[in-house]
């Protein structure tokens, strides 16, 4: 009988085994419904064995084909790189003609693009940041699902309308004004003064939109800007001479938010990542410096497999998992400039990384990670902890083996589609890794009848 409870095979490494052979008095409510959530009807015998084990984990990096990046309300641009990959983000959008027509007495002064930080950044904000503003040569069109994805891109003029350099202060919700080429402004004003009946489609056909393109030679930063109809716009400054000089301006706001999207692409620096040419493939941490990658916007996800699932099924008839805590350690180098997101989720996936849905708890709520930090002399550790008790019990209770079932770490939908957050997770095999799965379970000492 003790051989059945041990469940120790080549895939399971013991962390701590506490064997308590007790004769129990009738349980009080505090004993049966304590922190371990043991139900009143669960304990049906007078003796049991309580065991805590650490189960081995296999972490891998996978790459999804696409991520939807339209209608997020965020325009992302910038470039940054590390020892694993480089990330380039560019934003595309259209503006509409809200001015309709401009009085022919107005005289041109300048034309500017107005942008406001939304608070997102990744990288070093202390150095100069460069944005190139280009005019689109193709009209933005959505796919059959009326969306746009991270791999979408549209042709733009090679010569920028402006190159703007500044030291960003993203947390201050700062608004910047980028002066564009005067010829664009003059042509725009002439067009609206000469054609007072210019339709929306005619305007879009003439002015297809703009792209925010990063400088990949000097930037080590990606920034986010507000992308709403009242937060990103062209502003045409003019004046007219009456009895005195009268200054004026005309705004051309963002058109449909569904036509604003972010083109976000990852370029492998570590050659091992070049093998991820299909979402079905997995790159184990053993082949990537004992690291797994999670990156919003580009399709990189971290997958977690639990090799000991089949062995846990021995508990089905004589035991029950009472608590299962999954801890994933974060490589400290990931957050040299900012802290990890407060909330991340888990997704259930099959053996070829097709997602079945969120990992849930017994109340049907999505399981979220608790972010924890611990500090020692000259060191700071970050890790997430997830309670996957209900998920593991569901797998153990299945009649068919679940060896192909895995877990994907996931950002919130807002962060996945509207940011470039990147985290590096520690693999299980690292000597200093906090990545582990601790399982507490009861095995009831009942002889088979």
């Amino acid at each position: 009988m003790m051989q059945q409870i041990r469940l120790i095979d080549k895939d399971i490494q013991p962390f701590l085994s506490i064997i308590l052979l007790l004769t129990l008095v009738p349980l009080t409510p505090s004993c049966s419904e304590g922190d371990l959530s043991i139900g009143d009807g669960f304990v049906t015998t007078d003796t049991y064995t309580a065991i805590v084990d650490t189960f081995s984990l296999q972490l891998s990096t996978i790459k999804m084909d696409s991520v939807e990046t339209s209608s997020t309300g965020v325009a992302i641009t910038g470039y940054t790189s590390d020892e694993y990959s480089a990330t380039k983000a560019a934003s595309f959008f259209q503006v509409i003609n809200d001015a309709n027509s401009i009085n022919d007495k107005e005289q041109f002064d300048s034309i500017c693009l107005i942008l406001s930080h939304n608070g997102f950044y990744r990288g070093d904000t202390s150095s100069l940041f460069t944005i190139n503003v280009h005019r689109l040569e193709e009209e933005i069109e959505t796919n059959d699902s009326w969306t746009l994805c991270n791999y979408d891109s549209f042709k733009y003029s090679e010569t920028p309308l402006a190159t703007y350099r500044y030291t960003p202060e993203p947390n201050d919700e700062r608004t910047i004004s980028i002066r564009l080429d005067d010829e664009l402004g003059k042509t725009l004003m002439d067009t609206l003064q000469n054609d007072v009946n210019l339709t929306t489609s005619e305007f879009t056909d003439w002015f297809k939109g703009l792209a925010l393109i990063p400088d990949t030679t000097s930037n080590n930063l990606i920034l986010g800007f507000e992308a709403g109809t009242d937060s990103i716009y062209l502003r045409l400054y003019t004046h007219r001479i009456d009895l005195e000089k009268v200054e004026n301006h005309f705004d051309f706001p963002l058109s449909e938010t569904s036509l604003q999207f972010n083109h976000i692409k990852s370029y492998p620096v570590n050659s091992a990542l070049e093998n991820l040419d299909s979402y079905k493939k997995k790159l184990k941490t053993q082949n990537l410096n004992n690291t797994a990658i999670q990156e919003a916007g580009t399709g990189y996800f971290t997958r977690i497999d639990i090799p000991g699932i089949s062995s846990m099924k021995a508990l089905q008839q004589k035991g029950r998992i009472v608590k299962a805590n999954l801890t994933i350690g974060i490589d400290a180098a990931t957050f040299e400039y900012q802290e990890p997101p407060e909330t991340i989720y888990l997704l259930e996936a099959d053996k070829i990384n097709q997602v079945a849905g969120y990992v849930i708890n017994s109340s049907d709520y999505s399981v979220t990670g608790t972010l924890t930090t611990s500090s020692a002399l000259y060191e700071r550790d970050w890790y997430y902890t997830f309670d996957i008790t209900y998920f593991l019990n569901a797998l153990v209770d299945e009649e068919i083996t679940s060896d192909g079932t895995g877990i994907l770490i996931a950002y919130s939908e807002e962060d996945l589609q509207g940011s470039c957050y990147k985290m590096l997770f520690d693999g299980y095999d690292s000597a200093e890794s906090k990545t582990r799965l601790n399982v507490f379970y009861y095995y009831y000492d009942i002889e088979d009848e």
Side-chain angles (χ1 to χ4, degrees):
M1 181 164 57
M2 288 298 293
Q3 289 179 339
Q4 284 181 297
I5 26 175
R6 277 298 166 193
L7 305 178
I8 306 295
D9 60 20
K10 66 179 180 180
D11 292 323
I12 305 173
Q13 299 178 1
F15 169 66
L16 175 64
S17 295
I18 309 170
I19 303 178
L20 307 172
L21 297 177
L22 304 175
T23 301
L24 300 178
V25 297
L27 293 174
T28 65
S30 62
C31 294
S32 63
E33 295 184 343
D35 291 340
L36 293 175
S37 301
I38 307 169
D40 285 332
F42 184 65
V43 180
T44 58
T45 180
D46 288 340
T47 58
Y48 68 88
T49 303
I51 298 177
V52 180
D53 276 330
T54 292
F55 285 70
S56 68
L57 299 171
Q58 176 61 65
L59 270 66
S60 306
T61 301
I62 69 165
K63 196 170 190 298
M64 293 297 184
D65 293 334
S66 65
V67 176
E68 184 180 323
T69 61
S70 56
S71 302
T72 61
V74 183
I76 302 173
T77 186
Y79 177 85
T80 186
S81 64
D82 56 32
E83 62 180 299
Y84 298 100
S85 62
T87 304
K88 178 182 177 182
S91 188
F92 294 73
F93 56 92
Q94 289 182 352
V95 296
I96 58 173
N97 174 24
D98 251 11
N100 294 318
S101 63
I102 299 177
N103 189 291
D104 58 11
K105 291 183 179 180
E106 297 291 338
Q107 299 181 44
F108 172 79
D109 286 330
S110 65
I111 185 169
C112 298
L113 175 64
I114 311 298
L115 299 172
S116 297
H117 292 153
N118 79 327
F120 168 74
Y121 69 95
R122 172 180 148 195
D124 184 6
T125 61
S126 65
S127 58
L128 281 176
F129 182 71
T130 302
I131 303 175
N132 294 305
V133 183
H134 292 255
R135 183 173 178 174
L136 293 185
E137 295 181 346
E138 284 184 297
E139 187 174 339
I140 298 174
E141 295 181 349
T142 61
N143 56 34
D144 293 339
S145 301
W146 302 96
T147 62
L148 291 152
C149 298
N150 64 311
Y151 59 78
D152 286 316
S153 184
F154 295 88
K155 186 178 180 181
Y156 54 83
S157 174
E158 292 185 5
T159 304
L161 294 169
T163 295
Y164 186 75
R165 296 180 179 88
Y166 73 115
T167 302
E169 298 173 0
N171 289 328
D172 293 339
E173 298 182 354
R174 177 179 174 184
T175 297
I176 61 174
S177 178
I178 304 174
R179 181 163 181 169
L180 306 182
D181 182 34
D182 283 352
E183 286 304 313
L184 172 66
K186 291 176 181 178
T187 305
L188 174 59
M189 193 171 75
D190 289 343
T191 300
L192 296 181
Q193 285 177 332
N194 295 328
D195 190 347
V196 296
N197 296 314
L198 192 68
T199 65
T200 299
S201 60
E202 288 173 337
F203 178 81
T204 301
D205 186 57
W206 173 75
F207 190 75
K208 296 176 174 59
L210 294 170
L212 305 180
I213 307 298
D215 184 341
T216 59
T217 61
S218 61
N219 285 345
N220 186 28
L221 176 65
I222 298 175
L223 289 177
F225 298 92
E226 297 284 353
T229 55
D230 59 350
S231 56
I232 181 169
Y233 50 90
L234 284 181
R235 174 164 286 178
L236 178 66
Y237 292 93
T238 66
H239 74 273
R240 68 177 183 271
I241 305 298
D242 290 332
L243 295 177
E244 59 184 21
K245 182 178 179 180
V246 179
E247 295 182 342
N248 202 356
H249 69 263
F250 301 89
D251 289 343
F252 301 81
L254 189 76
S255 64
E256 299 176 47
T257 55
S258 61
L259 296 179
Q260 183 276 320
F261 75 100
N262 300 307
H263 172 81
I264 308 172
K265 187 171 182 179
S266 179
Y267 302 86
V269 172
N270 187 305
S271 58
L273 291 171
E274 295 175 356
N275 297 321
L276 293 179
D277 54 4
S278 167
Y279 72 90
K280 298 178 182 181
K281 292 187 176 181
K282 297 183 290 186
L283 178 61
K284 295 182 179 180
T285 54
Q286 292 88 335
N287 299 318
L288 195 66
N289 301 331
N290 204 43
T291 298
I293 298 174
Q294 183 84 17
E295 186 174 33
T298 62
Y300 281 122
F301 285 78
T302 291
R303 179 183 170 108
I304 304 167
D305 288 288
I306 307 170
I309 286 290
S310 58
S311 299
M312 290 184 193
K313 289 182 177 292
L315 289 171
Q316 273 183 305
Q317 297 179 353
K318 295 189 176 182
R320 190 71 175 173
I321 296 171
V322 187
K323 195 75 171 178
N325 286 330
L326 172 66
T327 301
I328 305 297
I330 307 170
D331 187 329
T334 301
F335 294 95
E336 181 180 356
Y337 301 107
Q338 65 258 62
E339 296 182 358
E342 286 292 331
T343 303
I344 60 173
Y345 299 83
L346 300 177
L347 302 172
E348 183 178 346
D350 65 13
K351 62 182 179 181
I352 60 170
N353 301 316
Q354 295 182 114
V355 176
Y358 285 99
V359 173
I360 60 173
N361 58 26
S362 58
S363 300
D364 284 337
Y365 289 107
S366 300
V367 172
T368 59
T370 300
L371 179 63
T372 305
T373 180
S374 60
S375 298
L377 187 63
Y378 306 118
E379 293 183 358
R380 192 178 185 189
D381 292 326
W382 295 96
Y383 53 93
Y384 290 100
T385 302
F386 304 85
D387 184 343
I388 61 169
T389 310
Y390 184 76
F391 172 75
L392 276 190
N393 274 319
L395 291 184
V396 167
D397 288 343
E398 289 181 357
E399 294 182 4
I400 301 175
T401 181
S402 301
D403 283 343
T405 300
I407 296 172
L408 300 183
I409 297 177
Y411 291 108
S412 67
E413 184 174 342
E414 179 182 0
D415 286 339
L416 172 64
Q417 299 178 347
S419 80
C420 287
Y421 281 123
K422 184 176 185 178
M423 289 192 284
L424 305 177
F425 292 115
D426 295 328
Y428 176 78
D429 296 329
S430 171
E432 300 178 354
S433 174
K434 292 186 177 295
T435 298
R436 59 181 177 268
L437 173 61
N438 288 340
V439 178
F440 186 103
Y441 54 90
Y442 282 163
Y443 184 92
Y444 297 103
D445 301 324
I446 308 173
E447 294 295 335
D448 294 331
E449 296 182 0

